[in-house]
Amino acid sequence: LSTAPYSRVVQREGSDHRQRTTQTTVSEEGGRGSSDHYLIMAKVGEGDARWIVSDRQDGTNVNQWHWQETDVFQWCQHKLKQEVLCPANNIKLREHFSSSSSARSSNSDQFIVELLEAKTTGEAYINTRKGKLIAGYELKVVLPFKAKRKKDEVMCEGTMEFPYVGDENADEDVEMEVVVATGTERALGDAAKQEILRVHRPKLVEEMNAFVEVLSKGGPALEKGATPQSVAKAAQTEKPAPAAKQEDPKREAKEKPKAAEGTKTIEFKEEFYCRPRDLYECYMDQGRVMAYTRSECRIVPVAGEPFTMFGGAITGVQVELVPEKRIVQRWRSSSWPEGVTSLVTMTFEEPSEGRTVLKLTQTGIPEEDAYGNANAAEVALQGWRQQIWGRVRQCFGYGC
């Protein structure tokens, strides 16, 4: 007889805990037969210990099967402070600043820049589940600097800031801003800022991007060439002893308002009868902005400069400006929860002469405003269309 491709359980016997299985067989001649097999089933407490599933008294999360969160914020602080943004320990960064300081240039405002100790705030953690990694982080990195002008050795100070290093922007270049200390002579500060953005920003962004890549793939565990299962162990061995007691970042994350836990994105396109230069200046020229908003504002068309609109109801920083082509800003509304900012990107295209197409994308809008209203994205969208670009049409006659 040959075994048939099917079998069935007929019944379970009574108190003796036996299970009878009837196996149907078919012979080569087509005849059928059957036989019964009895399996002895153990009572509770009488089974083989090797097959008993029980809680481990040592609390081990075998093969990282259960969800586990590991705080790696202190590792991030140490990594940025002692390695990534420290020329003394980062050979690539040291060579870059040494070569730029010794290079000869016709620019009379050339500066020698010295980096100080980086300071990091925020939170960072690695979640593991079934051996998979999920990195979550929201960091702000501030890098103080001193800049000495070569021609007269006049010194100015300030900070290079990475205002938002977040997991939602892991596939984008890290943003960097330069803020000169209050009281610095305007011409000196502008010259130092422009040189830092032009000469040093690309290298610093490159180093920060590399840091984000390591953090996104496991942080301390990835550095050791380890598997996701060793993240928790590596995080414990790598982080330095804290100098003082700090608040638990995970506790702070749970206590944040709901608006900080999720964000939304808006996108829209508008057409105008004008040249791209005209539309660009409507947003970058302070006089024009005051004309159509009918309120106080501060607009300086220089990357790294802060701006305000509608008497301070809208604030932010100019991140990237390409005249007639592109505007990128860090942007927030005063009605949003404290510390929440978004990223606005505007592009200007001229598909035909005298006709401009504006495309605007705004990411990082909170789900709720500071008062619990769940329409922050809709308010932002209507504000752009009615209070800004709608008024530009009416004021300057660029309507389509």
Side-chain angles (χ1 to χ4, degrees), residues 188-208:
L188 175 65
D190 287 347
K193 181 186 301 184
Q194 291 303 313
E195 176 159 330
I196 290 172
L197 291 173
R198 177 178 59 84
V199 177
H200 303 302
R201 177 182 177 184
K203 186 60 182 177
L204 289 167
V205 169
E206 178 185 334
E207 293 299 313
M208 286 296 295

Side-chain angles (χ1 to χ4, degrees), residues 205-225:
V205 169
E206 178 185 334
E207 293 299 313
M208 286 296 295
N209 287 343
F211 163 77
V212 167
E213 183 177 2
V214 172
L215 177 57
S216 299
K217 293 181 179 179
L222 183 64
E223 287 189 326
K224 294 178 175 295

Side-chain angles (χ1 to χ4, degrees), residues 135 137 164-175 205 208-217 343 363:
Y137 50 93
Y164 183 74
V165 182
D167 54 88
E168 63 185 35
N169 298 330
D171 57 346
E172 303 174 4
D173 284 342
V174 176
E175 297 174 28
V205 169
M208 286 296 295
N209 287 343
F211 163 77
V212 167
E213 183 177 2
V214 172
L215 177 57
S216 299
K217 293 181 179 179
L343 187 69
T363 61

